[in-house]
Amino acid sequence: MRPPDGRDSSPQARLRREHERAILRAIRSRPVVSRTQLAQEHGLSGQSIGRIVRGFLEDGLVEETAIERLAGSGAPRIGLRTRPDGAFAFGFGLERDQVTGVILDFAGKVRWRSSRRIPAGAPAMATLRRLEADVRWVSGLPEWTARRGRLCGVGIAVPGPIDLTAGRIVGPPNFAGWQHVELAEELSQALGLPIVVDNAATAAAVGTRWHMRRVARPLIYCYWGLGIGGGLVIDDEAYRGTTGNSVEIGHVVVSTGGRRCDCGGSGCLEAEASAAAIIRDASAYGSFGSVREIVAATAASPDLARILTLAAEKTASALLTVVNIVDVDEVVMGGEHFAEVEELFLPIIRDRLARRSFRRQIASTTVTVSTLGEAASAIGAAELVLDSVLPSVSPRRPVVVQRPAQLAVARAGRLPGSGDALPTPIFRRGQETEQRKT
C-alpha cells in the first residue's frame, strides 16, 4: 500500500531509499570514489551498488572519471564523483539583523551569494517578498537559464522556536512581527517550489559539517551573535528533538535570578552574554555601536574588559553543560560577531572544557571556529534541500512543503500569477524508482 505521496512505504522500499541516500552522501563527501569502495564501506553487493549508481548517472547527479592505478599497468579504474551542475538549491539564513542568501551547487560550492541588512521591526511579509524577488531575479539571469531544470527548491533557516512539521515560525525572541508566520506555506504558494524550513543554528551546524568534508565526528555548533543558538550533528545527521527546537544553548541558565530573557525566563546565556547583552552592559561606560568597538576600547577600560571576560566565562559554562550532556568530540563556534571576540573567548572556552568536562580523562573536546561566518545557516539550508533530492524515511527531518496544485505549477515551469518562467524541480527519484519497479 502506498501513502498519499505515492511512495512505497514497505520495509524493502524504505531500506532501498536509505541505501540510496547513504551512497549518494558517500559520493558527495569526497573528490572521487570507486564502486568497489562503496560496496565495501556499505556492505552492499556489487550488483546493488551498480543499480543505485546507474540511477544517479541517469539523473545527472554523478559522473564517471578515471582513477589512476596505484601500481602496475593496465587501464585506469573508473571512479565516481559529484556532478556540480547536477542540482542546485537556494538557501537563506534569517538572523535578527540581516538575511544571507546563497545558491549551492551539488558539489557544495557557493555559486551566488547576497547579504542584506534587516531594519529593526521590518514586517515579516516584507522580508518574505524580498526573498521571493531574489529567487525570481537570480533564476532569470542568463547564466541560470540552462540550469533551471536543476533547481531543487529553497531552504530557509530561521530562529526558533519553530513548528518543524508545519514550517511555521512560532514567536522568536526579539523578532517583532514574526509571531506565527506560515513561512513554508507563504513561499510555497508564491514560488511553486519545494520549501525546506529548519532552525537557523541547526542549519548552520549542517552547513559547517558539510564544509568540513572530513571524517564525521559528533559536533556541537554554537552560533554567537545578537542571539545565541546551537545545533547538534551526529553521524552526519542533525539532531532536532521532537519539535525541531533542540540544543537551545542560548537558553541554558548561567545566572540564577539573572537578567530577564525575551524567552520568558531569566538568567539565560543569551540575556547574559550575547553580543546584544554586551553592548547593553557596556553602555554604562560609553556609547558603542558594536562589540568590535567595545573590544577596541578594553585596553583603556578595565570595566569593559571585565564585561567581555564575564561573558566569555558564562559562554564557556553553558558549553560545558551541553558537552557534559551530549558527549561530543568537537565544538564549533560561529557567527560573524564571534570573530570580534574570538581572541578573548576562545582560550577561556577551551580551558573550561579541557579542565572541567566529564569526558576529559578519556577524550578531549576540540574547540574550533567556523570560517563560514553568517553564511553558515544559508549554506546549511541549501544543503538540506540538496539532501532531500532523495526522500528520507526519518520522521524528524525538516518539513518540505509542496502541495499537488503547486507541483503542477512547478512542473509547468511557471510562477503562480506570473508569466515568468521558473526553475522546474526535476528530482522525484523516490517515486520514479519505485514506479519503474512496479
Side-chain angles (χ1 to χ4, degrees):
M1 179 177 178
R2 294 180 186 272
D5 64 3
R7 284 193 287 134
D8 187 347
S9 60
S10 68
Q12 295 89 342
R14 290 166 60 89
L15 182 60
R16 182 169 61 249
R17 287 196 292 271
E18 283 303 293
H19 284 162
E20 288 181 336
R21 289 179 60 79
I23 297 304
L24 188 57
R25 279 185 173 180
I27 297 172
R28 294 187 65 212
S29 67
R30 65 191 84 182
V32 63
V33 62
S34 70
R35 289 172 173 82
T36 301
Q37 285 176 285
L38 292 172
Q40 292 173 344
E41 292 173 4
H42 295 272
L44 297 175
S45 68
Q47 182 180 10
S48 295
I49 292 294
R51 183 173 59 251
I52 292 171
V53 168
R54 187 163 53 252
F56 296 157
L57 289 168
E58 291 172 357
D59 284 348
L61 298 176
V62 304
E63 58 190 7
E64 294 182 325
T65 184
I67 303 177
E68 291 185 8
R69 291 187 178 277
L70 296 178
S73 58
R77 293 183 299 156
I78 300 299
L80 301 164
R81 66 185 178 190
T82 305
R83 182 171 172 262
D85 283 2
F88 300 91
F90 278 95
F92 291 95
L94 183 64
E95 302 296 344
R96 293 179 181 180
D97 55 347
Q98 71 178 24
V99 58
T100 301
V102 301
I103 290 181
L104 206 64
D105 68 22
F106 206 47
K109 181 180 179 180
V110 175
R111 305 285 284 267
W112 168 83
R113 177 173 175 172
S114 72
S115 182
R116 183 179 296 106
R117 291 290 171 182
I118 299 177
M125 288 302 104
T127 301
L128 294 187
R129 297 294 87 83
R130 184 66 259 177
L131 298 188
E132 294 168 20
D134 283 344
V135 172
R136 295 171 187 267
W137 177 73
V138 176
S139 299
L141 293 176
E143 59 264 38
W144 289 101
T145 301
R147 302 185 177 111
R148 288 181 173 182
R150 293 278 161 182
L151 179 59
C152 301
V154 181
I156 311 291
V158 296
I162 62 174
D163 182 343
L164 192 64
T165 60
R168 180 189 304 119
I169 301 180
V170 176
N174 286 337
F175 241 140
W178 285 86
Q179 284 70 33
H180 301 284
V181 176
E182 303 287 348
L183 182 61
E185 185 69 21
E186 286 284 343
L187 290 176
S188 179
Q189 291 280 1
L191 296 174
L193 285 171
I195 305 297
V196 176
V197 177
D198 210 336
N199 180 279
T202 297
V206 170
T208 298
R209 175 69 193 90
W210 177 250
H211 184 71
M212 288 177 171
R213 303 288 186 91
R214 51 180 165 77
V215 177
R217 300 196 301 171
L219 69 83
I220 286 286
Y221 176 89
C222 176
Y223 172 85
W224 189 91
L226 297 180
I228 297 177
L232 172 62
V233 176
I234 302 174
D235 295 332
D236 281 338
E237 287 282 358
Y239 174 77
R240 297 178 174 84
T242 58
T243 68
N245 296 283
S246 65
V247 201
E248 285 291 345
I249 298 174
H251 301 287
V252 172
V253 175
V254 293
S255 179
T256 303
R259 181 181 285 123
R260 186 75 173 173
C261 181
D262 290 313
C263 74
S266 60
C268 297
L269 178 65
E270 185 169 297
E272 298 284 337
S274 64
I278 289 173
I279 293 172
R280 182 172 53 242
D281 290 343
S283 65
Y285 304 97
S287 178
F288 301 98
S290 67
V291 173
R292 189 182 304 277
E293 294 177 11
I294 297 170
V295 171
T298 55
S301 174
D303 292 314
L304 293 177
R306 176 181 53 80
I307 289 173
L308 286 168
T309 300
L310 185 58
E313 290 175 345
K314 289 179 177 179
T315 302
S317 294
L319 289 171
L320 175 63
T321 297
V322 175
V323 168
N324 281 343
I325 292 172
V326 297
D327 187 21
V328 293
D329 296 322
E330 185 168 7
V331 172
V332 181
M333 303 299 298
E336 181 182 18
H337 294 287
F338 188 75
E340 301 169 355
V341 298
E342 177 182 340
E343 188 174 339
L344 173 63
F345 275 47
L346 209 54
I348 292 175
I349 294 170
R350 284 173 171 164
D351 178 70
R352 184 68 58 87
L353 294 182
R355 290 190 301 104
R356 299 276 301 280
S357 69
F358 194 73
R359 53 176 272 151
R360 67 187 182 279
Q361 297 183 64
I362 304 166
S364 61
T365 297
T366 304
V367 183
T368 59
V369 179
S370 171
T371 60
L372 298 180
E374 292 293 333
S377 61
I379 291 172
E383 173 56 32
L384 288 169
V385 176
L386 294 176
D387 197 47
S388 67
V389 164
L390 293 178
S392 171
V393 300
S394 171
R396 289 194 293 269
R397 292 184 59 78
V399 65
V400 181
V401 171
Q402 189 176 48
R403 300 190 182 281
Q406 290 146 2
L407 271 176
V409 171
R411 287 169 181 155
R414 297 286 168 181
L415 219 56
S418 168
D420 297 332
L422 185 72
T424 305
I426 65 172
F427 302 107
R428 302 286 184 272
R429 281 194 46 75
Q431 294 93 322
E432 291 169 354
T433 300
E434 286 149 16
Q435 288 167 4
R436 285 198 294 265
K437 292 179 179 295
T438 57

